[in-house]
Amino acid sequence: ASFLLLCFRTSLVTPLILGLLLQPPLTQLSIITQPNIVLLMADDLGIGDVGCYGNDTIRTPNIDRLAKEGVKLTQHIAAAPLCTPSRAAFLTGRYPLRSGMDAINNYRVIFWNGGSGGLPPNETTFAKILQQQGYSTGLIGKWHQGVNCESRNDHCHHPLNHGFDYFYGMPFTLISDCQPTETPEMDRVFRRKLWVYTQMIGLITLTAALGRLTGLISVRWKTLTCLAGFSLLFFVSWFSSYGFVRYWNCIMMRNHEVTEQPMVTDRTTSLILKESISFIERNKHKPFLLFLSFLHSHTPLLTTEKFLGRSSHGLYGDNVEEMDWMVGQVLDAIDKEGLKNTTLVYFASDHGGWLERQDGNRQLGGWNGIYRGGKAMGGWEGGIRVPGIFRWPGVLPAGTVTDEPTSLMDIYPTVAHLAGGVLPQDRVVDGRDLMPLLRGTVEHSEHKFLFHYCGVHLHAVRWHQKDSGAIWKAHYVTPVFRPLGAGACYDRGFCPCFGEGVTHHDPPLLFDLSRDPSEAKPLSADTEPLFDTVIRKIGRAVEEHRRTLTPVPEQLSLYNAVWKPWLQPCCGTFPFCWCDKEGDN
């Protein structure tokens, strides 16, 4: 009997020991649990501005450390070359025109906090999916996806209506108008025209009045009164918005409450960093999502005194180095709370650097390295190829580089799956889960084709021919650079998507990015035997892609773009909107 009992015990213990020995390593187990997720997004940062992407003069040791301890993506692509549509795609995993967040006109971003356009309430962001999975979700910094729809307090586009439990930051974006000492940036050319029209109408009114008084012109006083009234009405109609940009757009909010109107730019950086670290500390005992959306390195390049004059690239370099320091402070907070091995950290920029942003001889925009073009250019690599770095110790192999095509839209399914969430089944999701590629369990990205839009206009398409390693890119439309021979639209300040400022190509310009990443030497049927085959293949992919598109309301239409006083966030009684609720702190 004792022998049988011993055999029975052995039969129980042996499988237990074998089970422990054969247990998968921590790397595999940790993926089953819900990691904390920290998403760090720079604003207007060029891929050439970061040390680990080849810059040897701007110091970015903390971003470089992320790359050393994680996976660096060398072909990470934004879905749009401007803030609003790129971030809409990032949040939803979908090309921005699927949600109506790309423009048919020249108003290609959200223009006013008091506008009615924005990320539609029926879109499901990754924050909403993670919130449903029990995550604490926070957005600190820039939003730029709209605020209200029909009334001042409906907050239909607000972060809290899109899955974030906590919001502190700018509902708009940083612009030079936010800094009283800077030259106004917003709609500068249009504003000049309005001033000219106002002066012309005023001059006509004054001339008519003087002519009537001197008897040189026969005009009725009633006509003069109407003309004067029209002049005043015209002036008020535009100056009530453009004359107070700093008060209407340069505001800070905590959740639904306006805390600074206008914002006090001297302390913005310290408050955003303080809020980010506080969010980590408050939520360290449960899974959390922190989306730190930097105001760096967008003009007017708010930089604290500590970092002024430190870089060899002037104010822009100072600003980038300060952002890198902020990245380090956030990483230190993660380490301090013992969360390093349970936190996925991601760093990227929303699109390429702004080449045309200059002040005299000072370059105030970013550098895009070897890549052609920049911000606002939907096709050229410089406008859409951005830094992309993932770190998760023990799960992602350190010091890894992948050249496979990936997209900012891929963050959506990646974090949703890590949290145990389910992607929406009633819509097309264009992003792909990156974890197999990041962990090295697959060799190639799931993206076969990526479509590069400028507004709603398709400018270029890339095809990753996995069997040959070629990355073909066909340009159907390119912007006209001026002056001739320049690498950007210096005459306009922004490259347009359509009209006389672009060139249409038939057949398309074709490049193989695997051999010519700078897009310097277009191929032709004479120089590339596969030219016709590649163009036909990409053409069929465009047709299939367009069949997946459905009409949606245009969030960036002219009506949605204009300022509406009844939608303007205000911390007082409109129009007396002024407050500083952070002053006591």
Side-chain angles (χ1 to χ4, degrees):
S2 60
F3 175 77
L4 289 174
L5 183 61
L6 179 62
C7 288
F8 177 70
R9 286 176 176 171
T10 303
S11 67
L12 287 176
V13 172
T14 302
L16 182 61
I17 294 172
L18 285 172
L20 290 171
L21 290 173
L22 296 175
Q23 179 178 313
L26 180 62
T27 295
Q28 293 175 329
L29 275 180
S30 59
I31 290 180
I32 300 171
T33 63
Q34 294 181 315
N36 305 310
I37 295 168
V38 175
L39 308 176
L40 308 171
M41 179 167 282
D43 196 1
D44 284 22
L45 181 74
I47 192 170
D49 294 325
V50 183
C52 59
Y53 284 91
N55 193 305
D56 57 4
T57 53
I58 296 180
R59 292 162 295 191
T60 56
N62 296 294
I63 299 171
D64 299 346
R65 172 159 59 105
L66 277 178
K68 186 178 180 182
E69 297 176 354
V71 181
K72 182 178 78 170
L73 309 176
T74 63
Q75 197 179 167
H76 200 40
I77 307 299
L82 285 174
C83 308
T84 295
S86 174
R87 290 162 183 267
F90 175 71
L91 287 160
T92 64
R94 291 151 48 82
Y95 286 107
L97 79 167
R98 295 194 191 279
S99 57
M101 292 294 280
D102 243 339
I104 61 170
N105 52 46
N106 287 319
Y107 289 92
R108 295 161 57 190
V109 297
I110 298 291
F111 252 70
W112 298 97
N113 281 326
S116 51
L119 191 61
N122 63 351
E123 286 293 326
T124 303
T125 66
F126 57 68
K128 192 169 287 185
I129 293 177
L130 267 63
Q131 187 182 57
Q132 292 167 352
Q133 294 303 116
Y135 274 68
S136 293
T137 56
L139 167 61
I140 313 293
K142 170 177 172 170
W143 174 237
H144 210 192
Q145 299 292 302
V147 182
N148 299 312
C149 287
E150 297 178 354
S151 67
R152 182 168 291 122
N153 295 312
D154 67 25
H155 299 122
C156 71
H157 302 307
H158 191 279
L160 267 59
N161 200 40
H162 279 295
F164 290 100
D165 299 317
Y166 184 75
F167 169 61
Y168 177 80
M170 285 190 78
F172 193 62
T173 182
L174 198 59
I175 50 176
S176 292
D177 304 68
C178 298
Q179 194 84 307
T181 56
E182 294 286 324
T183 303
E185 172 185 333
M186 187 174 151
D187 236 352
R188 190 182 304 174
V189 175
F190 184 54
R191 224 189 292 198
R192 285 195 196 120
K193 289 180 180 178
L194 290 172
W195 267 117
V196 171
Y197 296 153
T198 301
Q199 290 167 351
M200 287 173 59
I201 295 169
L203 186 61
I204 291 169
T205 305
L206 186 60
T207 303
L210 289 174
R212 174 69 174 81
L213 289 171
T214 57
L216 294 175
I217 300 175
S218 177
V219 59
R220 298 168 60 187
W221 283 113
K222 185 176 181 181
T223 304
L224 280 175
T225 304
C226 289
L227 194 57
F230 174 76
S231 302
L232 181 62
L233 190 63
F234 179 77
F235 174 71
V236 170
S237 69
W238 70 265
F239 193 77
S240 60
S241 55
Y242 285 105
F244 299 90
V245 170
R246 186 163 163 255
Y247 284 84
W248 302 151
N249 280 347
C250 303
I251 68 175
M252 298 291 284
M253 296 182 78
R254 178 175 284 104
N255 296 328
H256 291 145
E257 180 186 21
V258 178
T259 59
E260 296 179 27
Q261 191 168 14
M263 64 193 291
V264 183
T265 54
D266 291 345
R267 62 177 179 228
T268 303
T269 297
S270 61
L271 285 176
I272 284 178
L273 182 58
K274 175 185 172 185
E275 288 281 349
S276 301
I277 293 173
S278 175
F279 183 85
I280 292 170
E281 292 171 346
R282 291 197 309 270
N283 295 285
K284 61 186 176 184
H285 296 302
K286 63 179 294 191
F288 66 82
L289 162 71
L290 170 61
F291 178 17
L292 172 49
S293 178
F294 291 104
L295 303 184
H296 297 60
S297 49
H298 199 293
T299 50
L301 302 173
L302 298 183
T303 309
T304 58
E305 191 173 345
K306 176 183 174 183
F307 285 89
L308 288 176
R310 284 185 44 163
S311 84
S312 58
H313 281 270
L315 182 59
Y316 182 83
D318 298 344
N319 194 254
V320 173
E321 292 192 5
E322 180 173 58
M323 179 186 64
D324 178 80
W325 171 78
M326 294 173 73
V327 169
Q329 294 296 299
V330 172
L331 297 181
D332 289 348
I334 292 170
D335 291 351
K336 179 185 173 185
E337 301 300 338
L339 302 173
K340 182 175 181 177
N341 292 335
T342 56
T343 302
L344 172 69
V345 179
Y346 166 76
F347 176 84
S349 178
D350 55 354
H351 50 70
W354 190 359
L355 300 180
E356 298 94 343
R357 191 65 176 97
Q358 299 173 329
D359 181 15
N361 293 325
R362 287 198 310 161
Q363 179 64 32
L364 300 179
W367 181 51
N368 301 312
I370 65 171
Y371 303 107
R372 192 174 184 180
K375 176 178 178 177
M377 305 180 206
W380 295 121
E381 287 292 282
I384 54 178
R385 192 182 287 223
V386 297
I389 303 170
F390 287 86
R391 187 193 76 172
W392 187 0
V395 177
L396 303 183
T400 306
V401 178
T402 177
D403 300 322
E404 290 289 301
T406 57
S407 169
L408 262 69
M409 297 184 291
D410 297 337
I411 307 310
Y412 183 91
T414 302
V415 300
H417 288 150
L418 287 174
V422 178
L423 298 182
Q425 301 299 305
D426 61 345
R427 64 199 66 187
V428 176
V429 173
D430 299 294
R432 299 291 181 264
D433 184 1
L434 286 179
M435 284 307 293
L437 181 67
L438 296 175
R439 297 182 62 222
T441 59
V442 299
E443 185 179 353
H444 294 299
S445 157
E446 287 187 42
H447 290 291
K448 189 174 183 181
F449 296 95
L450 284 170
F451 303 91
H452 308 308
Y453 283 90
C454 185
V456 298
H457 308 275
L458 183 66
H459 274 206
V461 180
R462 84 178 58 210
W463 171 31
H464 183 205
Q465 192 178 6
K466 298 176 185 179
D467 54 353
S468 70
I471 300 167
W472 306 103
K473 188 170 171 199
H475 287 260
Y476 295 96
V477 184
T478 57
V480 177
F481 292 159
R482 286 211 168 86
L484 291 175
C489 303
Y490 292 102
D491 59 327
R492 296 170 178 261
F494 264 114
C495 283
C497 296
F498 61 93
E500 62 182 18
V502 302
T503 301
H504 294 263
H505 302 281
D506 187 12
L509 296 180
L510 183 67
F511 301 90
D512 179 1
L513 298 180
S514 66
R515 292 177 286 168
D516 180 19
S518 300
E519 299 173 287
K521 300 172 183 176
L523 304 170
S524 67
D526 296 328
T527 60
E528 176 52 62
L530 294 175
F531 183 89
D532 292 330
T533 303
V534 171
I535 294 299
R536 281 196 302 270
K537 179 82 172 178
I538 291 176
R540 286 195 295 270
V542 170
E543 291 173 6
E544 292 176 15
H545 167 68
R546 284 179 170 153
R547 283 196 287 269
T548 70
L549 303 176
T550 55
V552 293
E554 296 167 13
Q555 296 299 323
L556 303 181
S557 66
L558 186 58
Y559 172 78
N560 282 333
V562 298
W563 181 70
K564 302 172 182 65
W566 60 93
L567 297 183
Q568 176 62 47
C570 180
C571 60
T573 302
F574 187 85
F576 305 106
C577 303
W578 181 92
C579 64
D580 180 6
K581 299 178 182 178
E582 302 289 352
D584 293 337
N585 296 331

